Amino acid sequence: MVRDKWRKFLIALLLPQAAGALAGLVTVRSVSQWYQHLNKPAFTPPDGVFGPVWGVLYLMMGMASFLVWMGEKGTSLFRFYLIHLFFNFLWSILFFGLRSPFLAFLDIIVLWLMIGGMVFLFWKSSRGASVLLVPYWCWVSFAAGLNYAIWRMN
């Protein structure tokens, strides 16, 4: 029982970090070759902000997913979380890989709705898990505005 709990804890923490690392691989080349040359709004954070913010958010997401995974409806909620994680990763592919702010914006709308759904559904299973997702939802709200502005400006 304890061994299974530790296994789930490690999986929950490592999955979003792995998704973030893979997204980073897609992003690195495109940032210097494409993103730097885009017109961006004045509220665009410095490039060095994104990595640390995402690192913390991925850690919080992992902790939240573990908390619900251990609950009554853990498997179904964790599956929903995994589907959401795919849309999180897909955004980097669309924005940086395909260099399509429009498609990325469509994806981030779906992602934002899924995060909202997780905040609501996780609340029923673990209030702590739900609260851990609120900063992520706020950041994705900001990122959606930034994504929209970049799409419209370019």
Side-chain angles (χ1 to χ4, degrees):
M1 186 71 163
V2 172
R3 182 180 238 171
D4 186 51
K5 199 175 214 179
W6 276 105
R7 181 183 60 81
K8 287 182 176 181
F9 181 71
L10 288 174
I11 289 170
L13 287 183
L14 292 176
L15 272 174
Q17 297 296 335
L22 286 173
L25 291 174
V26 171
T27 303
V28 168
R29 189 174 195 183
S30 192
V31 166
S32 63
Q33 294 179 353
W34 174 71
Y35 180 76
Q36 293 298 328
H37 304 289
L38 292 175
N39 295 319
K40 294 183 258 337
F43 62 89
T44 304
D47 293 343
V49 169
F50 291 99
V53 168
W54 277 112
V56 170
L57 293 175
Y58 285 138
L59 180 64
M60 294 170 76
M61 289 164 53
M63 292 167 58
S65 69
F66 172 72
L67 291 172
V68 297
W69 198 4
M70 298 308 296
E72 280 179 34
K73 298 179 182 177
T75 303
S76 62
L77 290 175
F78 193 73
R79 283 187 190 130
F80 184 71
Y81 168 79
L82 292 175
I83 294 166
H84 132 274
L85 199 55
F86 168 77
F87 282 93
N88 176 294
F89 174 73
L90 181 61
W91 183 89
S92 294
I93 300 293
L94 296 173
F95 192 90
F96 290 104
L98 296 179
R99 298 179 179 183
S100 176
F102 171 70
L103 291 177
F105 182 67
L106 295 178
D107 176 80
I108 208 167
I109 291 169
V110 173
L111 179 62
W112 187 87
L113 291 170
M114 292 187 84
I115 297 166
M118 286 191 312
V119 168
F120 177 76
L121 294 170
F122 283 20
W123 182 265
K124 294 178 179 183
S125 177
S126 166
R127 290 183 178 181
S130 181
V131 169
L132 282 167
L133 293 177
V134 171
Y136 172 42
W137 201 15
C138 291
W139 180 256
V140 169
S141 299
F142 171 75
L146 181 60
N147 186 152
Y148 178 80
I150 291 172
W151 166 47
R152 299 307 301 158
M153 293 174 77
N154 293 279

